[in-house]
Amino acid sequence: PPAATKSNIDNGVSTHANGSYDKQTGIYSIVDDDTLYSIAKRFNTTPEAIQGLNNLEGTTIYAGKTLKI
């Protein structure tokens, strides 16, 4: 399969070099090296907005988990 560069779109799921995002559900799958800041920047939002949407008290996120964007 082709490497994920900017984004590959298939069935509403956009696969970025750093994770995948389902446009229908608004769910992003966290991968290694992701930070709230890097995810927020990618989706043109703020870390605080992502924290609020996901009821996060801190800034720690884990690969394999998901976030609402």
Side-chain angles (χ1 to χ4, degrees), residues 28 30-31 33-39 50-51 56 58-67:
Y28 176 79
I30 303 167
V31 295
D33 298 326
D34 271 342
T35 64
L36 280 179
Y37 177 79
S38 68
I39 295 167
I50 295 173
Q51 283 176 289
L56 299 176
T59 59
T60 304
I61 57 174
Y62 299 95
K65 301 292 183 181
T66 59
L67 292 170

Side-chain angles (χ1 to χ4, degrees), residues 4-55:
T5 52
K6 289 186 180 175
S7 67
N8 297 325
I9 299 175
D10 185 5
N11 296 326
V13 177
S14 178
T15 305
H16 298 266
N18 294 327
S20 65
Y21 176 68
D22 187 322
K23 289 184 179 185
Q24 284 188 314
T25 62
I27 300 294
Y28 176 79
S29 297
I30 303 167
V31 295
D32 288 337
D33 298 326
D34 271 342
T35 64
L36 280 179
Y37 177 79
S38 68
I39 295 167
K41 185 175 177 184
R42 191 173 312 131
F43 290 96
N44 198 30
T45 187
T46 65
E48 294 81 10
I50 295 173
Q51 283 176 289
L53 189 59
N54 291 279
N55 300 313

